[in-house]
Coordinates of all heavy atoms in Angstrom, one line a residue:
M1 N 0.8 -1.1 0.0 CA 0.0 0.0 0.0 C 0.9 1.2 -0.1 O 1.9 1.3 0.6 CB -0.9 0.0 1.2 CG -1.8 1.1 1.3 SD -3.0 0.8 2.5 CE -3.9 2.2 2.3
T2 N 0.4 2.3 -0.7 CA 1.2 3.5 -0.8 C 0.6 4.6 0.1 O -0.6 4.6 0.4 CB 1.3 4.0 -2.2 OG1 -0.1 4.4 -2.6 CG2 1.9 3.0 -3.2
T3 N 1.5 5.5 0.5 CA 1.0 6.6 1.4 C 0.9 7.8 0.5 O 1.4 7.9 -0.6 CB 2.1 6.9 2.5 OG1 3.2 7.3 1.8 CG2 2.3 5.7 3.4
P4 N 0.1 8.8 0.9 CA -0.1 10.0 0.1 C 1.1 10.7 -0.3 O 1.2 11.4 -1.2 CB -1.0 10.9 1.0 CG -1.6 10.0 2.0 CD -0.7 8.8 2.1
S5 N 2.2 10.6 0.5 CA 3.5 11.3 0.2 C 4.3 10.6 -0.8 O 5.3 11.1 -1.3 CB 4.3 11.5 1.5 OG 4.6 10.3 2.0
D6 N 4.0 9.3 -1.2 CA 4.8 8.6 -2.2 C 4.5 9.2 -3.6 O 3.4 9.6 -3.9 CB 4.3 7.1 -2.2 CG 4.7 6.3 -1.0 OD1 5.6 6.9 -0.3 OD2 4.1 5.3 -0.8
P7 N 5.6 9.3 -4.3 CA 5.5 9.9 -5.7 C 4.7 8.8 -6.6 O 4.9 7.6 -6.3 CB 6.9 10.0 -6.2 CG 7.7 9.1 -5.3 CD 7.0 9.0 -4.0
P8 N 4.0 9.3 -7.6 CA 3.3 8.4 -8.4 C 4.3 7.6 -9.3 O 5.3 8.2 -9.7 CB 2.4 9.3 -9.3 CG 3.0 10.6 -9.2 CD 3.7 10.7 -7.9
S9 N 4.0 6.3 -9.4 CA 4.9 5.5 -10.2 C 4.5 5.5 -11.7 O 3.3 5.7 -11.9 CB 5.0 4.1 -9.6 OG 3.8 3.4 -9.8
A10 N 5.4 5.2 -12.5 CA 5.1 5.1 -13.9 C 4.1 4.0 -14.2 O 3.5 3.9 -15.2 CB 6.4 4.9 -14.7
D11 N 4.2 2.9 -13.3 CA 3.3 1.7 -13.5 C 1.8 2.2 -13.3 O 1.0 1.7 -14.1 CB 3.6 0.7 -12.4 CG 5.0 0.2 -12.6 OD1 5.6 0.2 -13.7 OD2 5.6 -0.4 -11.6
R12 N 1.6 3.1 -12.5 CA 0.1 3.5 -12.2 C -0.3 4.5 -13.3 O -1.5 4.6 -13.7 CB 0.0 4.1 -10.9 CG 0.0 3.0 -9.8 CD -0.2 3.7 -8.4 NE 1.1 4.1 -8.0 CZ 1.3 5.1 -7.1 NH1 0.3 5.7 -6.7 NH2 2.5 5.4 -6.8
H13 N 0.6 5.4 -13.8 CA 0.3 6.4 -14.8 C 1.2 6.2 -16.0 O 2.3 6.7 -16.0 CB 0.5 7.8 -14.2 CG -0.4 8.0 -13.0 ND1 -1.8 8.2 -13.1 CD2 -0.1 8.0 -11.7 CE1 -2.3 8.4 -11.9 NE2 -1.3 8.2 -11.0
P14 N 0.8 5.5 -17.0 CA 1.7 5.3 -18.2 C 2.1 6.6 -18.9 O 3.2 6.6 -19.5 CB 0.9 4.4 -19.1 CG -0.5 4.4 -18.6 CD -0.5 4.9 -17.2
D15 N 1.3 7.6 -18.8 CA 1.7 8.9 -19.5 C 2.3 9.9 -18.5 O 2.4 11.1 -18.9 CB 0.5 9.5 -20.2 CG -0.7 9.8 -19.3 OD1 -0.6 9.3 -18.1 OD2 -1.5 10.6 -19.7
A16 N 2.7 9.5 -17.3 CA 3.2 10.4 -16.4 C 4.6 10.9 -16.9 O 5.3 10.2 -17.5 CB 3.4 9.7 -15.1
R17 N 4.8 12.2 -16.6 CA 6.1 12.8 -17.0 C 7.0 12.9 -15.9 O 6.7 13.0 -14.8 CB 5.8 14.2 -17.6 CG 4.8 14.2 -18.7 CD 4.4 15.6 -19.1 NE 3.7 16.2 -17.9 CZ 3.1 17.4 -17.9 NH1 3.2 18.2 -18.9 NH2 2.4 17.8 -16.9
S18 N 8.3 12.9 -16.2 CA 9.3 12.9 -15.2 C 9.5 14.4 -14.7 O 9.0 15.4 -15.4 CB 10.7 12.5 -15.8 OG 11.2 13.4 -16.7
R19 N 10.1 14.6 -13.7 CA 10.3 16.0 -13.1 C 11.1 16.8 -14.1 O 10.8 18.0 -14.3 CB 11.1 15.8 -11.8 CG 11.3 17.2 -11.1 CD 12.0 17.0 -9.8 NE 12.3 18.2 -9.2 CZ 11.8 18.6 -8.0 NH1 11.1 17.8 -7.3 NH2 12.0 19.8 -7.5
E20 N 12.1 16.2 -14.7 CA 13.0 17.0 -15.7 C 12.1 17.4 -16.9 O 12.3 18.5 -17.4 CB 14.1 16.1 -16.2 CG 15.2 15.9 -15.1 CD 15.4 14.5 -14.8 OE1 14.9 13.6 -15.5 OE2 16.0 14.2 -13.8
Q21 N 11.3 16.5 -17.3 CA 10.4 16.9 -18.5 C 9.5 18.1 -18.1 O 9.2 19.0 -18.9 CB 9.5 15.7 -18.9 CG 10.3 14.6 -19.6 CD 9.4 13.4 -19.9 OE1 8.6 13.1 -19.0 NE2 9.6 12.7 -21.0
I22 N 8.9 18.0 -16.9 CA 8.0 19.1 -16.5 C 8.8 20.4 -16.3 O 8.4 21.5 -16.8 CB 7.3 18.7 -15.1 CG1 6.4 17.5 -15.3 CG2 6.6 19.9 -14.5 CD1 5.8 16.9 -14.1
E23 N 10.0 20.3 -15.8 CA 10.9 21.5 -15.6 C 11.2 22.1 -17.0 O 11.2 23.3 -17.2 CB 12.1 21.3 -14.8 CG 11.7 21.0 -13.4 CD 13.0 20.6 -12.5 OE1 14.0 20.3 -13.2 OE2 12.9 20.5 -11.3
Q24 N 11.5 21.3 -17.9 CA 11.8 21.7 -19.3 C 10.6 22.4 -20.0 O 10.7 23.4 -20.6 CB 12.3 20.5 -20.2 CG 13.6 20.0 -19.8 CD 14.0 18.8 -20.6 OE1 13.1 18.2 -21.3 NE2 15.2 18.3 -20.5
E25 N 9.4 21.8 -19.7 CA 8.2 22.4 -20.3 C 7.9 23.7 -19.6 O 7.5 24.8 -20.3 CB 7.0 21.5 -20.1 CG 7.1 20.3 -20.9 CD 5.9 19.3 -20.6 OE1 5.0 19.6 -19.8 OE2 6.0 18.2 -21.1
I26 N 8.1 23.9 -18.3 CA 8.0 25.1 -17.6 C 8.9 26.2 -18.2 O 8.6 27.3 -18.5 CB 8.2 25.0 -16.1 CG1 7.0 24.2 -15.5 CG2 8.3 26.3 -15.4 CD1 7.2 23.7 -14.1
E27 N 10.2 25.8 -18.4 CA 11.2 26.7 -18.9 C 10.8 27.2 -20.3 O 11.0 28.3 -20.7 CB 12.6 26.1 -18.9 CG 13.7 27.0 -19.3 CD 13.8 28.3 -18.5 OE1 13.5 28.2 -17.3 OE2 14.1 29.4 -19.0
A28 N 10.4 26.2 -21.1 CA 9.9 26.6 -22.5 C 8.8 27.5 -22.5 O 8.7 28.5 -23.2 CB 9.6 25.4 -23.3
T29 N 7.9 27.3 -21.6 CA 6.7 28.2 -21.4 C 7.1 29.6 -21.0 O 6.6 30.6 -21.5 CB 5.7 27.6 -20.4 OG1 5.3 26.3 -20.9 CG2 4.5 28.5 -20.3
R30 N 8.1 29.7 -20.1 CA 8.6 31.0 -19.6 C 9.2 31.7 -20.8 O 9.0 32.9 -20.9 CB 9.6 30.8 -18.5 CG 9.0 30.5 -17.2 CD 10.0 30.3 -16.1 NE 9.4 30.0 -14.8 CZ 10.0 29.3 -13.8 NH1 11.3 28.9 -14.0 NH2 9.4 29.0 -12.7
R31 N 10.0 31.0 -21.6 CA 10.7 31.7 -22.7 C 9.6 32.2 -23.7 O 9.7 33.4 -24.1 CB 11.6 30.7 -23.4 CG 13.0 30.7 -22.9 CD 13.9 29.9 -23.9 NE 13.5 28.6 -24.3 CZ 13.6 27.5 -23.7 NH1 14.3 27.4 -22.6 NH2 13.1 26.3 -24.2
Q32 N 8.6 31.4 -24.0 CA 7.5 31.8 -24.9 C 6.8 33.0 -24.3 O 6.5 34.0 -25.0 CB 6.6 30.7 -25.1 CG 7.1 29.6 -26.0 CD 6.2 28.4 -26.1 OE1 5.2 28.3 -25.3 NE2 6.5 27.5 -27.0
L33 N 6.5 33.0 -23.0 CA 5.9 34.1 -22.4 C 6.6 35.4 -22.5 O 6.2 36.5 -22.7 CB 5.5 33.8 -20.9 CG 4.7 34.8 -20.1 CD1 3.4 35.1 -20.8 CD2 4.5 34.3 -18.7
G34 N 8.0 35.2 -22.2 CA 8.9 36.4 -22.3 C 8.9 37.0 -23.7 O 8.9 38.2 -23.8
E35 N 9.0 36.1 -24.7 CA 9.0 36.7 -26.1 C 7.7 37.3 -26.4 O 7.7 38.4 -27.0 CB 9.2 35.5 -27.0 CG 10.6 34.9 -27.0 CD 10.7 33.6 -27.8 OE1 9.8 33.2 -28.5 OE2 11.8 33.0 -27.7
T36 N 6.6 36.8 -25.9 CA 5.3 37.4 -26.2 C 5.2 38.8 -25.5 O 4.7 39.8 -26.1 CB 4.1 36.5 -25.6 OG1 4.2 35.3 -26.3 CG2 2.8 37.1 -25.8
V37 N 5.7 38.9 -24.3 CA 5.7 40.2 -23.5 C 6.6 41.2 -24.3 O 6.2 42.4 -24.5 CB 6.2 40.0 -22.1 CG1 6.4 41.3 -21.4 CG2 5.1 39.2 -21.3
D38 N 7.7 40.7 -24.8 CA 8.6 41.6 -25.5 C 7.9 42.1 -26.8 O 8.0 43.4 -27.1 CB 9.9 40.9 -25.9 CG 10.8 40.7 -24.7 OD1 10.6 41.3 -23.6 OD2 11.7 39.8 -24.8
Q39 N 7.2 41.2 -27.5 CA 6.5 41.6 -28.7 C 5.4 42.6 -28.4 O 5.2 43.6 -29.2 CB 6.0 40.4 -29.5 CG 7.0 39.6 -30.1 CD 6.5 38.2 -30.6 OE1 5.3 38.0 -30.5 NE2 7.3 37.5 -31.2
L40 N 4.7 42.4 -27.4 CA 3.6 43.3 -27.0 C 4.1 44.7 -26.6 O 3.6 45.7 -26.9 CB 2.8 42.7 -25.9 CG 1.8 41.6 -26.3 CD1 1.2 41.0 -25.1 CD2 0.8 42.0 -27.3
S41 N 5.3 44.6 -25.9 CA 5.9 46.0 -25.5 C 6.4 46.7 -26.6 O 6.2 47.9 -26.7 CB 7.1 45.6 -24.6 OG 6.7 45.0 -23.4
E42 N 6.9 46.1 -27.7 CA 7.4 46.8 -28.9 C 6.1 47.3 -29.6 O 6.2 48.5 -30.1 CB 8.1 45.8 -29.9 CG 9.5 45.4 -29.3 CD 10.1 44.4 -30.3 OE1 9.6 44.2 -31.4 OE2 11.1 43.7 -29.8
R43 N 5.0 46.7 -29.7 CA 3.8 47.1 -30.4 C 3.2 48.3 -29.6 O 2.7 49.2 -30.3 CB 2.8 46.0 -30.5 CG 3.2 45.0 -31.5 CD 2.1 43.9 -31.7 NE 2.5 42.9 -32.6 CZ 1.8 41.9 -32.9 NH1 0.6 41.8 -32.4 NH2 2.2 41.0 -33.8
L44 N 3.3 48.3 -28.3 CA 2.7 49.4 -27.6 C 3.6 50.6 -27.5 O 3.1 51.7 -27.0 CB 2.3 48.9 -26.2 CG 1.2 47.8 -26.2 CD1 1.0 47.3 -24.8 CD2 -0.1 48.4 -26.7
D45 N 4.9 50.5 -27.8 CA 5.8 51.6 -27.7 C 5.7 52.5 -29.0 O 6.6 52.3 -29.9 CB 7.2 51.1 -27.5 CG 8.2 52.3 -27.1 OD1 7.8 53.5 -27.0 OD2 9.4 52.0 -26.9
V46 N 4.7 53.4 -29.0 CA 4.4 54.2 -30.2 C 5.6 55.1 -30.5 O 6.0 55.2 -31.7 CB 3.1 55.0 -30.0 CG1 2.8 55.9 -31.2 CG2 2.0 54.0 -29.8
K47 N 6.2 55.7 -29.6 CA 7.3 56.6 -29.9 C 8.5 56.0 -30.6 O 9.0 56.5 -31.5 CB 7.8 57.2 -28.5 CG 8.8 58.3 -28.6 CD 9.2 58.8 -27.3 CE 10.1 60.0 -27.3 NZ 10.5 60.5 -26.0
S48 N 8.8 54.8 -30.1 CA 9.9 54.0 -30.8 C 9.5 53.6 -32.2 O 10.3 53.6 -33.1 CB 10.3 52.8 -30.0 OG 10.9 53.2 -28.7
R49 N 8.3 53.2 -32.4 CA 7.8 52.8 -33.7 C 7.9 54.0 -34.7 O 8.2 53.8 -35.8 CB 6.4 52.2 -33.6 CG 6.4 50.8 -32.9 CD 5.0 50.3 -32.7 NE 4.2 50.3 -34.0 CZ 2.9 50.3 -34.0 NH1 2.2 50.3 -32.9 NH2 2.3 50.3 -35.1
I50 N 7.4 55.2 -34.2 CA 7.5 56.3 -35.0 C 9.0 56.7 -35.4 O 9.2 57.0 -36.6 CB 6.7 57.5 -34.4 CG1 5.3 57.3 -34.3 CG2 7.1 58.8 -35.1 CD1 4.5 58.3 -33.5
K51 N 9.8 56.6 -34.4 CA 11.2 56.9 -34.7 C 11.8 55.9 -35.7 O 12.5 56.3 -36.6 CB 12.0 56.9 -33.5 CG 11.9 58.1 -32.6 CD 12.8 58.0 -31.4 CE 12.6 59.2 -30.5 NZ 13.5 59.2 -29.3
A52 N 11.5 54.6 -35.6 CA 12.0 53.6 -36.5 C 11.4 53.8 -37.9 O 12.1 53.7 -38.9 CB 11.6 52.2 -36.0
E53 N 10.2 54.2 -38.0 CA 9.5 54.5 -39.3 C 10.2 55.7 -40.0 O 10.5 55.7 -41.1 CB 8.1 54.7 -39.2 CG 7.3 54.9 -40.4 CD 7.3 53.8 -41.4 OE1 7.5 52.6 -41.0 OE2 7.2 54.0 -42.7
A54 N 10.5 56.8 -39.2 CA 11.1 57.9 -39.7 C 12.5 57.6 -40.2 O 12.9 58.1 -41.3 CB 11.2 59.0 -38.7
Q55 N 13.3 56.8 -39.4 CA 14.6 56.4 -39.9 C 14.5 55.6 -41.1 O 15.3 55.8 -42.1 CB 15.3 55.6 -38.7 CG 16.6 55.1 -39.1 CD 17.6 56.2 -39.2 OE1 17.5 57.3 -38.7 NE2 18.7 55.9 -40.1
H56 N 13.6 54.7 -41.2 CA 13.4 53.9 -42.5 C 13.1 54.7 -43.6 O 13.7 54.5 -44.7 CB 12.3 52.8 -42.2 CG 12.0 52.0 -43.4 ND1 12.8 51.0 -43.9 CD2 10.8 52.0 -44.2 CE1 12.2 50.5 -44.9 NE2 11.1 51.1 -45.2
R57 N 12.2 55.7 -43.5 CA 11.8 56.6 -44.6 C 13.1 57.4 -45.0 O 13.3 57.6 -46.2 CB 10.7 57.5 -44.2 CG 9.5 56.8 -43.8 CD 8.6 56.5 -45.0 NE 7.4 55.9 -44.5 CZ 6.4 55.6 -45.3 NH1 6.4 56.0 -46.5 NH2 5.4 55.0 -44.8
R58 N 13.8 57.9 -44.0 CA 15.0 58.7 -44.3 C 16.0 57.9 -45.1 O 16.6 58.4 -46.1 CB 15.7 59.2 -43.0 CG 16.7 60.2 -43.2 CD 17.2 60.7 -41.8 NE 16.1 61.1 -40.9 CZ 15.9 60.6 -39.7 NH1 16.7 59.6 -39.2 NH2 14.9 61.0 -39.0
E59 N 16.2 56.6 -44.7 CA 17.2 55.7 -45.5 C 16.7 55.5 -46.9 O 17.5 55.4 -47.8 CB 17.3 54.4 -44.7 CG 18.1 54.6 -43.4 CD 18.0 53.3 -42.6 OE1 17.4 52.3 -43.0 OE2 18.6 53.3 -41.5
Q60 N 15.4 55.4 -47.1 CA 14.8 55.2 -48.5 C 15.1 56.4 -49.3 O 15.4 56.3 -50.5 CB 13.3 55.0 -48.4 CG 12.9 53.6 -47.9 CD 11.4 53.4 -47.9 OE1 10.6 54.4 -47.7 NE2 10.9 52.2 -48.2
V61 N 14.9 57.6 -48.8 CA 15.1 58.8 -49.5 C 16.6 58.9 -49.9 O 17.0 59.2 -51.1 CB 14.7 60.1 -48.7 CG1 15.2 61.3 -49.4 CG2 13.2 60.1 -48.6
V62 N 17.5 58.6 -48.9 CA 18.9 58.7 -49.2 C 19.4 57.7 -50.3 O 20.1 58.0 -51.2 CB 19.8 58.5 -47.9 CG1 21.2 58.2 -48.2 CG2 19.6 59.7 -47.0
A63 N 18.8 56.5 -50.2 CA 19.1 55.4 -51.2 C 18.6 55.9 -52.5 O 19.3 55.7 -53.6 CB 18.5 54.1 -50.8
E64 N 17.4 56.5 -52.6 CA 16.8 56.9 -53.9 C 17.7 58.0 -54.5 O 18.0 58.0 -55.7 CB 15.4 57.4 -53.7 CG 14.7 57.8 -55.0 CD 14.5 56.7 -55.9 OE1 14.3 55.5 -55.4 OE2 14.4 56.9 -57.1
M65 N 18.2 58.9 -53.7 CA 19.1 60.0 -54.1 C 20.4 59.5 -54.6 O 20.9 60.0 -55.6 CB 19.3 61.1 -53.0 CG 18.0 61.9 -52.8 SD 18.2 63.0 -51.5 CE 19.4 64.2 -52.2
Q66 N 20.9 58.5 -54.0 CA 22.2 57.9 -54.4 C 22.0 57.1 -55.7 O 23.0 57.0 -56.5 CB 22.7 57.0 -53.3 CG 23.2 57.7 -52.1 CD 23.6 56.8 -51.0 OE1 23.3 55.6 -51.0 NE2 24.4 57.4 -50.0
R67 N 20.8 56.6 -56.0 CA 20.6 55.9 -57.3 C 20.5 56.8 -58.4 O 20.9 56.5 -59.5 CB 19.3 55.0 -57.2 CG 19.5 53.7 -56.5 CD 18.3 52.8 -56.8 NE 17.1 53.4 -56.5 CZ 16.2 53.0 -55.6 NH1 16.5 51.8 -55.0 NH2 15.1 53.6 -55.4
R68 N 20.0 58.0 -58.2 CA 19.9 59.0 -59.2 C 20.6 60.3 -59.0 O 20.0 61.4 -58.8 CB 18.4 59.2 -59.5 CG 17.7 58.0 -60.0 CD 16.2 58.4 -60.5 NE 15.4 58.4 -59.3 CZ 14.1 58.8 -59.3 NH1 13.6 59.3 -60.5 NH2 13.4 58.8 -58.3
P69 N 21.9 60.3 -58.8 CA 22.6 61.5 -58.5 C 22.6 62.5 -59.7 O 22.8 63.7 -59.6 CB 24.0 61.1 -58.2 CG 24.2 59.8 -59.0 CD 22.8 59.2 -58.9
A70 N 22.3 62.0 -60.9 CA 22.4 62.9 -62.1 C 21.2 63.8 -62.1 O 21.3 64.9 -62.7 CB 22.4 62.0 -63.4
V71 N 20.1 63.5 -61.6 CA 18.9 64.4 -61.6 C 19.2 65.6 -60.8 O 19.0 66.8 -61.4 CB 17.7 63.6 -61.0 CG1 16.5 64.6 -60.9 CG2 17.3 62.5 -62.0
P72 N 19.6 65.7 -59.6 CA 19.9 66.9 -58.9 C 21.0 67.7 -59.6 O 20.9 68.9 -59.7 CB 20.3 66.5 -57.5 CG 19.8 65.2 -57.3 CD 19.7 64.5 -58.6
A73 N 22.0 67.0 -60.1 CA 23.1 67.7 -60.8 C 22.5 68.4 -62.0 O 22.9 69.6 -62.4 CB 24.2 66.7 -61.1
A74 N 21.7 67.7 -62.8 CA 21.1 68.3 -64.0 C 20.3 69.5 -63.7 O 20.3 70.5 -64.4 CB 20.3 67.2 -64.8
V75 N 19.5 69.4 -62.7 CA 18.6 70.5 -62.2 C 19.5 71.7 -61.9 O 19.3 72.9 -62.3 CB 17.7 70.2 -61.0 CG1 17.0 71.4 -60.5 CG2 16.7 69.1 -61.5
A76 N 20.5 71.5 -61.1 CA 21.4 72.6 -60.7 C 22.1 73.2 -61.9 O 22.3 74.4 -62.0 CB 22.5 72.0 -59.7
A77 N 22.6 72.4 -62.8 CA 23.2 72.9 -64.0 C 22.2 73.7 -64.8 O 22.6 74.8 -65.4 CB 23.7 71.7 -64.9
G78 N 21.0 73.3 -65.0 CA 20.0 74.0 -65.7 C 19.7 75.4 -65.0 O 19.5 76.4 -65.7
V79 N 19.6 75.4 -63.7 CA 19.4 76.7 -62.9 C 20.6 77.6 -63.2 O 20.4 78.9 -63.5 CB 19.2 76.5 -61.5 CG1 19.2 77.7 -60.7 CG2 17.9 75.7 -61.3
V80 N 21.8 77.1 -63.2 CA 23.0 78.0 -63.4 C 23.0 78.5 -64.8 O 23.2 79.7 -65.1 CB 24.3 77.2 -63.1 CG1 25.5 77.9 -63.6 CG2 24.4 76.9 -61.7
L81 N 22.7 77.7 -65.8 CA 22.6 78.0 -67.2 C 21.5 79.1 -67.5 O 21.8 80.2 -68.1 CB 22.3 76.8 -68.1 CG 22.2 77.1 -69.6 CD1 23.5 77.7 -70.1 CD2 21.8 75.9 -70.3
L82 N 20.3 79.0 -66.9 CA 19.3 80.0 -67.1 C 19.7 81.3 -66.4 O 19.4 82.4 -67.0 CB 18.0 79.5 -66.5 CG 17.3 78.3 -67.3 CD1 16.1 77.9 -66.6 CD2 16.9 78.9 -68.7
T83 N 20.2 81.2 -65.3 CA 20.7 82.4 -64.6 C 21.7 83.2 -65.4 O 21.7 84.4 -65.5 CB 21.2 82.1 -63.1 OG1 20.2 81.4 -62.4 CG2 21.6 83.3 -62.4
T84 N 22.7 82.4 -65.9 CA 23.8 83.0 -66.7 C 23.2 83.7 -67.9 O 23.6 84.8 -68.3 CB 24.8 82.0 -67.1 OG1 25.3 81.4 -65.9 CG2 25.9 82.5 -67.9
L85 N 22.3 83.0 -68.6 CA 21.6 83.6 -69.8 C 20.8 84.9 -69.5 O 20.9 85.9 -70.3 CB 20.7 82.6 -70.5 CG 21.4 81.5 -71.2 CD1 20.4 80.5 -71.7 CD2 22.2 82.0 -72.4
M86 N 20.1 84.9 -68.4 CA 19.3 86.1 -68.0 C 20.3 87.2 -67.7 O 20.0 88.4 -68.1 CB 18.5 85.8 -66.8 CG 17.3 84.8 -67.1 SD 16.3 84.2 -65.7 CE 16.1 85.7 -64.8
V87 N 21.3 87.0 -66.9 CA 22.3 88.1 -66.7 C 23.0 88.6 -67.9 O 23.1 89.8 -68.1 CB 23.4 87.5 -65.6 CG1 24.5 88.5 -65.5 CG2 22.7 87.3 -64.3
W88 N 23.3 87.7 -68.8 CA 24.0 88.1 -70.1 C 23.1 88.9 -70.9 O 23.5 89.9 -71.5 CB 24.4 86.8 -70.8 CG 25.1 87.0 -72.1 CD1 26.3 87.5 -72.3 CD2 24.5 86.8 -73.4 NE1 26.5 87.7 -73.7 CE2 25.4 87.2 -74.3 CE3 23.3 86.3 -73.8 CZ2 25.2 87.1 -75.7 CZ3 23.0 86.3 -75.2 CH2 24.0 86.7 -76.1
R89 N 21.8 88.6 -71.0 CA 20.8 89.3 -71.8 C 20.6 90.7 -71.2 O 20.5 91.7 -72.0 CB 19.5 88.6 -71.9 CG 19.6 87.3 -72.9 CD 18.2 86.7 -73.0 NE 17.5 87.4 -73.9 CZ 16.2 87.3 -74.1 NH1 15.5 86.3 -73.5 NH2 15.6 87.9 -75.1
R90 N 20.5 90.8 -69.9 CA 20.3 92.1 -69.3 C 21.5 93.0 -69.5 O 21.3 94.2 -69.8 CB 20.0 92.0 -67.8 CG 18.6 91.5 -67.5 CD 18.3 91.5 -66.1 NE 17.0 90.9 -65.8 CZ 16.5 90.7 -64.7 NH1 17.2 90.9 -63.6 NH2 15.3 90.2 -64.6
R91 N 22.6 92.5 -69.4 CA 23.9 93.3 -69.6 C 24.0 93.7 -71.1 O 24.4 94.8 -71.4 CB 25.1 92.6 -69.2 CG 25.2 92.5 -67.7 CD 26.5 91.9 -67.3 NE 26.6 91.8 -65.9 CZ 27.6 91.3 -65.2 NH1 28.7 90.8 -65.9 NH2 27.6 91.2 -63.9
R92 N 23.6 92.9 -71.9 CA 23.6 93.2 -73.4 C 22.7 94.3 -73.8 O 23.0 95.2 -74.6 CB 23.3 91.9 -74.2 CG 23.6 92.0 -75.6 CD 23.5 90.7 -76.3 NE 23.5 90.9 -77.7 CZ 22.9 90.1 -78.5 NH1 22.3 89.0 -78.1 NH2 22.9 90.4 -79.8
K93 N 21.5 94.3 -73.2 CA 20.5 95.3 -73.5 C 20.9 96.7 -72.9 O 20.6 97.7 -73.5 CB 19.1 95.0 -72.9 CG 18.4 93.8 -73.7 CD 17.0 93.6 -73.0 CE 16.3 92.5 -73.8 NZ 15.0 92.2 -73.2
R94 N 21.6 96.7 -71.8 CA 22.0 98.0 -71.2 C 23.2 98.6 -72.0 O 23.3 99.8 -72.1 CB 22.5 97.7 -69.8 CG 21.4 97.5 -68.9 CD 21.9 97.4 -67.5 NE 21.0 97.0 -66.5 CZ 21.2 96.6 -65.3 NH1 22.4 96.6 -64.9 NH2 20.2 96.2 -64.5
G95 N 24.0 97.8 -72.4 CA 25.3 98.3 -72.9 C 25.4 98.4 -74.4 O 25.8 99.1 -75.2

């Protein structure tokens, strides 16, 4: 006969788990819970999400400008050319 303080034997419970298995399951559950809490914290931190989005957009703009450096240079050259022509025409009319 067994007493209430005796641990259950595998003979009585064929699907009984060992103490190590239970501890491993508890540790896995703790890890999963910690990851879930971290994910929820990230989602609720609006300030950090806005900063991250702004940084992402800034990087996209810089990358786009680096892919097409000729466009700003062409615009600048056009402005310089038009300004030079306007100054030249005004001086020519005066003199």
Side-chain angles (χ1 to χ4, degrees):
M1 181 168 186
T2 62
T3 63
S5 63
D6 289 341
S9 69
D11 296 337
R12 285 182 277 153
H13 300 287
D15 62 342
R17 300 172 295 182
S18 72
R19 180 181 181 119
E20 287 119 15
Q21 288 173 324
I22 294 172
E23 288 175 352
Q24 288 173 352
E25 290 174 10
I26 290 171
E27 185 58 35
T29 303
R30 284 182 181 155
R31 273 195 308 274
Q32 290 172 346
L33 182 60
E35 291 171 6
T36 302
V37 168
D38 289 344
Q39 290 172 356
L40 289 173
S41 296
E42 287 176 17
R43 288 182 182 180
L44 293 174
D45 190 0
V46 176
K47 187 176 180 180
S48 293
R49 288 176 51 204
I50 290 172
K51 284 183 180 181
E53 181 66 22
Q55 179 66 27
H56 176 70
R57 302 273 180 170
R58 191 175 309 123
E59 290 170 358
Q60 283 180 328
V61 168
V62 169
E64 184 66 28
M65 290 177 67
Q66 288 175 346
R67 279 197 304 242
R68 294 191 276 172
V71 173
V75 171
V79 170
V80 169
L81 179 63
L82 288 175
T83 305
T84 304
L85 285 173
M86 289 172 48
V87 169
W88 178 72
R89 287 183 79 192
R90 284 187 183 170
R91 288 188 180 176
R92 189 171 167 207
K93 286 183 181 180
R94 286 186 189 168

